[in-house]
Amino acid sequence: MNRAPAALLALIALGGCASAPTMTSAPARTAGYLDALQLSALSGRVPPPPAAGSDTDRADRATSDRYRALQGGDRWLLATAHAELRPALALAHFDCALGTQMASAPTPQLTALFEKILHDADAAAESVKARSFRARPVGDDPARPACQRLTEAGRTTPSYPSGSATVGAAYGEVLAALAPERAAESRRTGHEIAVSRVVCGMHYPSDAEAGETLGREVARAIVASPGFQTDRIGAQAELAAARAAGLSSPGCAAERAALAAPLP
């Protein structure tokens, strides 16, 4: 395995504890922007997981097995950072996309906005998971390492759709609305958070893809909501102040290198 460069380790430190668990199954601390009917409609559009033994299921498992080669390398370490999705820390995942260092300025309104996104994206994903069960890669192989702290019970939780991919994509889509000039970069970071869940062995590719699609739809509904339109002014002001500080994350060069390496 490649040894991680110091800059990538710094990126992980900035993004949160390297062994921190994903937070998408934790109780939300605040209400979101969408009501129960909206969330039900969004989750109802998600198709069921691939049938066991289907072509898609076999392709998922083949890809997941290939990704074992990434364990301990630079992309694995970036995936370890991406496992942290608590809003105050998850903002750092978008530093490089936004060309700033979010810790350079106070962001209470932006963090509160992210709390609401987390609530809605998580609720939508959990609603889909309640309909059917697909095992995680780390559940199908109990000996497989994960890139986060994981209990034995955690290995047996549903994999489809990826709640973390849902949240990451929703974060990226909303940031694209808040900073349109960085929309492509923000969306790519949201996508890479989804890819990280496959790298980690926490989800199969179809789980991540379904989560991304759901996350983008949740985000579009959020952006259209009156509550978001009220909150966006203060959030955009905080984001502008952070970018005006002129600071950048020391981990961006390492992040670019990790993402430039081809996946197996």
Side-chain angles (χ1 to χ4, degrees), residues 142-212:
R144 184 169 182 173
C147 65
Q148 62 188 73
R149 286 194 302 267
L150 192 63
T151 65
E152 291 307 308
R155 287 181 179 269
T156 66
T157 54
S159 190
Y160 182 94
S162 167
S164 295
T166 305
V167 172
Y171 284 163
E173 193 70 26
V174 171
L175 283 173
L178 294 175
E181 69 281 7
R182 292 280 184 157
E185 293 87 348
S186 294
R187 288 176 174 133
R188 187 196 177 190
T189 298
H191 168 68
E192 293 297 344
I193 290 171
V195 173
S196 286
R197 305 308 289 159
V198 185
V199 172
C200 284
M202 291 297 293
H203 294 282
Y204 289 107
S206 291
D207 308 332
E209 291 165 11
E212 277 194 86

Side-chain angles (χ1 to χ4, degrees), residues 199-249:
V199 172
C200 284
M202 291 297 293
H203 294 282
Y204 289 107
S206 291
D207 308 332
E209 291 165 11
E212 277 194 86
T213 299
L214 178 58
R216 288 192 294 267
E217 292 182 355
V218 168
R220 292 184 191 114
I222 286 173
V223 170
S225 70
F228 176 82
Q229 294 303 321
T230 298
D231 291 347
R232 75 180 299 163
I233 298 171
Q236 281 181 309
E238 290 179 349
L239 180 55
R243 296 178 67 186
L247 300 179
S248 60
S249 170

Side-chain angles (χ1 to χ4, degrees), residues 24-209:
T24 55
S25 61
R29 289 177 290 173
T30 185
Y33 290 106
L34 307 180
D35 62 32
L37 287 176
Q38 290 173 297
L39 291 169
S40 178
L42 289 164
S43 62
R45 298 173 194 165
V46 181
S54 66
D55 290 346
T56 301
D57 182 57
R58 290 196 297 270
D60 273 352
R61 293 174 186 277
T63 299
S64 184
D65 282 342
R66 289 197 303 274
Y67 279 21
R68 291 173 187 261
L70 299 171
Q71 183 184 337
D74 294 349
R75 189 61 184 82
W76 172 272
L77 291 170
L78 181 58
T80 298
H82 283 165
E84 174 58 85
L85 290 176
R86 286 175 292 184
L89 298 172
L91 281 167
H93 300 327
F94 295 89
D95 279 355
C96 306
L98 296 169
T100 188
Q101 188 173 346
M102 295 305 297
S104 65
T107 57
Q109 294 183 72
L110 188 56
T111 299
L113 185 149
F114 260 44
E115 292 275 7
K116 295 177 182 179
I117 298 170
L118 173 62
H119 173 279
D120 290 341
D122 180 58
E126 290 299 314
S127 179
V128 179
K129 288 184 179 186
R131 297 202 307 257
S132 58
F133 179 84
R134 189 189 197 193
R136 298 178 183 272
V138 294
D140 284 330
D141 179 2
R144 184 169 182 173
C147 65
Q148 62 188 73
R149 286 194 302 267
L150 192 63
T151 65
E152 291 307 308
R155 287 181 179 269
T156 66
T157 54
S159 190
Y160 182 94
S162 167
S164 295
T166 305
V167 172
Y171 284 163
E173 193 70 26
V174 171
L175 283 173
L178 294 175
E181 69 281 7
R182 292 280 184 157
E185 293 87 348
S186 294
R187 288 176 174 133
R188 187 196 177 190
T189 298
H191 168 68
E192 293 297 344
I193 290 171
V195 173
S196 286
R197 305 308 289 159
V198 185
V199 172
C200 284
M202 291 297 293
H203 294 282
Y204 289 107
S206 291
D207 308 332
E209 291 165 11

